[in-house]
Amino acid sequence: MGLLSADNHTPRPSSQPDGGPDAPNLARPVTDLADPNPERRWEAALSARGEPTGVDAVLARLPVEPDLAVRQALFDALAATGGPVAARGLVDLLRSEDAHLRNEAIAALAELPDDVPDLIDTMLTADDPDVRIFTVNVLRDLRHPQTTAWLTRVIAEDTHPNVVGTALDHALELADPAMAPAALAARTRFADDPYVAFVCGLLLDRIEGSAS
């Protein structure tokens, strides 16, 4: 079975909506997130940065916001504010049918190293394998001390070859010797999957090479 490629998120632009003012009004109330004018919504999103009381409104606006610049500002506000409510809301967006929302949710979650770890266990056991794949992508960019342990767990235990294949891809960057038993187990577990077998071989070779 071939690996389903995960979404690739793109860097967040800092541009404002077309026709935006040179000097944004940084005191817009959160209620302006629903304003018909995208410039005012963008300014309201900027005003929401670092404001925990605005997190619910920002999360509610994201799925219905049509302007990409405003969306970016909303995601930036969540990443700048953080907290468990923001993190849980971003995790919920991993189930969205909108690829842009998923990609930017992955990027924003990776900027919340203090809030995301408490959710990783739940994310890695989600029923939807796509959510588990996106979680592995969050781990790639989270740069957390537990990243190796989490990836090793996925490789050793996950039942979906695409999830394991994604974890193996990221494990290649680490090539931690502790991953070797998990890679051997995955190669046995998915003996009929040529991609998993191939990446397991690459990982084991890289681990062996780093030890010599």
Side-chain angles (χ1 to χ4, degrees):
M1 180 184 296
L3 178 64
L4 292 175
S5 61
D7 298 324
N8 294 317
H9 60 261
T10 55
R12 299 198 194 107
S14 58
S15 60
Q16 61 192 49
D18 290 340
D22 291 335
N25 180 352
L26 297 182
R28 290 282 180 193
V30 72
T31 52
D32 278 4
L33 290 175
D35 194 283
N37 186 331
E39 295 170 16
R40 291 183 178 177
R41 298 199 305 274
W42 180 73
E43 291 172 349
L46 294 182
S47 299
R49 291 174 61 93
E51 295 292 340
T53 57
V55 166
D56 285 334
V58 170
L59 288 169
R61 182 65 196 177
L62 269 170
V64 297
E65 176 53 57
D67 189 287
L68 290 183
V70 178
R71 274 193 184 186
Q72 296 294 162
L74 292 169
F75 276 112
D76 286 344
L78 291 174
T81 305
V85 175
R88 286 194 297 269
L90 288 165
V91 169
D92 289 342
L93 290 177
L94 297 181
R95 299 180 182 276
S96 172
E97 294 297 321
D98 185 322
H100 181 267
L101 283 177
R102 294 195 305 267
N103 294 342
E104 293 305 320
I106 290 170
L109 284 165
E111 296 179 28
L112 300 177
D114 294 331
D115 304 304
V116 170
D118 289 341
L119 304 176
I120 291 296
D121 285 344
T122 299
M123 295 164 71
L124 289 178
T125 56
D127 291 338
D128 187 345
D130 285 340
V131 172
R132 303 202 300 275
I133 288 173
F134 301 146
T135 301
V136 170
N137 286 333
V138 172
L139 293 179
R140 173 192 59 198
D141 297 328
L142 191 63
R143 305 301 181 189
H144 190 275
Q146 287 293 105
T147 293
T148 297
W150 283 320
L151 288 176
T152 301
R153 169 185 159 190
V154 172
I155 295 167
E157 299 177 2
D158 201 278
T159 59
H160 199 291
N162 292 341
V163 181
V164 173
T166 303
L168 286 164
D169 284 339
H170 300 328
L172 287 172
E173 302 174 14
L174 303 173
D176 192 300
M179 294 175 162
L184 289 169
R187 188 162 62 180
T188 299
R189 193 161 76 255
F190 300 108
D192 295 331
D193 190 292
Y195 185 81
V196 171
F198 171 71
V199 185
C200 281
L202 283 180
L203 177 58
L204 291 167
D205 288 346
R206 190 163 295 183
I207 290 172
E208 183 178 355
S210 65
S212 60

